[in-house]
């Protein structure tokens, strides 16, 4: 290289080499996610669950919680599958397939809203603790430690019992158990970003701490939080069913819930075991779908899995 070449500004490498700037890691994560069979299975399950919940009025053959066929249910038998009712009837004379479809809608709405609330509050606490530090970090983390010392389901049951039986109380109860998880995770991600070279460079340029945290550190710390949100949705679906099973769900009998279906099936297990089998399978498969998708996202966003 001559002296003239050394003084001549060199063109930046093409986007294909650098991975297209900041979008490179996300593109690589998307490619790894598409190659993960478990992630594909989880995404398909989650997509089917969402479609069934959203399109419930179109997919359900009857109205939810109708007792039109209650006369066909006797103390010793429950009608099984037939041409009119593919999965049979429940103990109250309602179409079991319709109850399952509308139960998916209840689980989706409560699970998504509770996770969103828990993520928002937990992210706020995590940003304050990891971004400001000092006594603010100490106070917030001690509060988080207290909440983490209580089992999540026990905390959710306690909050739901205090607030009363309603969908809003269930959402708040489940989100209260999720707040400390998101707060601690985001705080740890922000603390890991503090010593990075780009943060030191931004401080040397005189940028304010708030701008550095919100504009640069926070976007680079959201990957693990998004993965945890997907995994938490699986827990939320199970906790919604658990609270309904314990009698803390929606008091309106016209609202279909998978947990309530398990309760009503207890007295009929010897006569019609499918009354508990179908909602149990729905809960397990839905939770499995979110778990597989969350684990696939974690592996896709982990740079060490790029090999």
């Amino acid at each position: 290289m001559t002296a003239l070449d050394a003084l001549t500004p060199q063109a930046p490498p093409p986007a294909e080499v650098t991975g297209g700037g900041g979008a490179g890691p996300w593109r690589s994560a998307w490619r790894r996610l598409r190659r993960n069979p478990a992630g594909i299975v989880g995404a398909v399950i989650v997509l089917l669950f969402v479609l069934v919940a959203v399109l419930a009025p179109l997919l359900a053959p009857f109205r939810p919680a109708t007792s039109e066929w209650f006369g066909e249910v006797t103390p010793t038998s429950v009608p099984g599958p037939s041409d009119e009712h593919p999965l049979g009837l429940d103990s109250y004379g309602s179409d079991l397939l319709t109850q399952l479809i509308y139960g998916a809608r209840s689980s989706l709405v409560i699970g998504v809203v509770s996770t969103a609330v828990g993520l928002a509050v937990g992210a706020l606490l995590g940003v304050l603790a990891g971004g400001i530090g000092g006594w603010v970090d100490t106070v917030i983390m001690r509060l988080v430690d207290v909440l983490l010392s209580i089992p999540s389901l026990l905390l959710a049951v306690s909050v739901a019992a205090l607030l009363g039986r309603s969908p809003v109380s269930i959402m708040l109860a489940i989100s209260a158990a999720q707040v400390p998880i998101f707060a601690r995770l985001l705080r740890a991600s922000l603390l890991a970003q503090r010593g990075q070279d780009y943060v030191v460079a931004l401080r040397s340029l005189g940028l304010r701490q708030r701008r550095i945290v919100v504009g640069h550190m926070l976007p680079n710390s959201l990957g693990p939080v998004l993965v945890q949100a997907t995994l938490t949705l699986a827990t939320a679906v199970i906790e919604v069913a658990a609270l309904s099973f314990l009698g803390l769900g929606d008091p309106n009998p016209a609202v279909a819930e998978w947990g309530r279906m398990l309760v009503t099936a207890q007295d009929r297990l010897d006569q019609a075991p499918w009354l508990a089998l179908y909602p149990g399978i729905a809960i397990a498969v839905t939770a499995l779908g979110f778990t597989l998708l969350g684990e696939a996202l974690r592996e896709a966003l982990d740079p060490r899995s790029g090999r």
Side-chain angles (χ1 to χ4, degrees):
M1 178 181 294
T2 63
L4 180 61
D5 294 333
L7 295 176
T8 302
Q10 300 295 319
E16 291 79 10
V17 177
T18 61
W26 293 100
R27 283 205 193 103
S28 301
W30 171 245
R31 286 195 298 267
R32 289 194 291 269
L33 182 62
R34 288 186 302 177
R35 299 192 188 107
N36 192 326
I40 295 175
V41 173
V44 170
I45 295 175
V46 171
L47 180 60
L48 290 176
F49 170 67
V50 173
L51 289 177
V52 169
V54 173
L55 302 177
L58 300 177
L59 298 177
F62 304 98
R63 292 178 302 169
T66 178
S67 56
E68 182 177 352
W69 303 275
F70 184 71
E72 302 179 19
V73 179
T74 65
T76 58
S77 66
V78 178
S82 63
D83 294 338
E84 187 179 8
H85 307 287
L87 299 182
L89 302 177
D90 62 10
S91 301
Y92 298 105
S94 301
D95 181 70
L96 189 58
L97 178 60
T98 300
Q99 296 296 97
L100 284 175
I101 292 176
Y102 276 93
R105 166 172 285 192
S106 300
S107 298
L108 176 65
V109 172
I110 297 177
V112 170
V113 173
S114 60
T115 301
V117 173
L119 174 60
V121 178
L124 177 60
L125 296 178
V127 169
L128 292 177
I132 298 177
W135 66 269
V136 176
D137 183 16
T138 303
V139 172
I140 293 177
M141 284 301 102
R142 296 298 76 77
L143 175 62
V144 168
D145 291 339
V146 171
L147 294 177
L148 286 176
S149 65
I150 306 174
S152 59
L153 184 57
L154 178 59
L155 179 60
V157 169
S158 302
V159 175
L162 290 175
L163 297 180
R165 297 179 59 187
S166 69
V168 176
S169 65
I170 295 180
M171 296 176 188
L172 294 178
I174 297 176
S175 62
Q178 297 174 357
V179 166
I181 300 175
F182 289 116
R184 179 172 287 276
L185 182 61
L186 186 56
R187 171 185 177 269
S189 298
L190 288 173
L191 292 179
Q193 296 290 328
R194 279 187 177 182
Q196 298 295 324
D197 294 338
Y198 77 93
V199 176
V200 177
L202 291 173
R203 288 174 180 165
S204 64
L205 293 175
L207 269 70
R208 293 184 177 181
Q209 180 69 11
R210 182 179 62 182
R211 184 175 178 183
I212 295 176
V213 172
V214 177
H216 300 276
M217 294 175 61
L218 183 58
N220 291 325
S221 304
L222 289 179
V225 178
L226 295 178
V227 173
Q228 182 61 41
T230 306
L231 295 172
T232 304
L233 279 170
T235 307
V237 171
I238 298 176
E239 290 181 347
V240 170
L243 293 177
S244 299
F245 183 83
L246 295 174
L248 298 173
D250 195 327
N252 185 5
V255 177
E257 293 180 339
W258 288 341
R260 183 184 297 164
M261 295 175 67
L262 292 175
V263 174
T264 58
Q266 291 185 90
D267 298 334
R268 301 277 187 170
L269 289 178
D270 55 339
Q271 306 164 6
W274 61 83
L275 296 180
L277 181 64
Y278 290 137
I281 291 176
I283 296 171
V285 171
T286 303
L288 176 63
F290 281 111
T291 301
L292 291 177
L293 182 58
E295 289 295 333
L297 284 174
R298 180 185 60 80
E299 294 177 3
L301 291 173
D302 187 357
R304 292 171 295 182
S305 65
R307 63 182 184 274

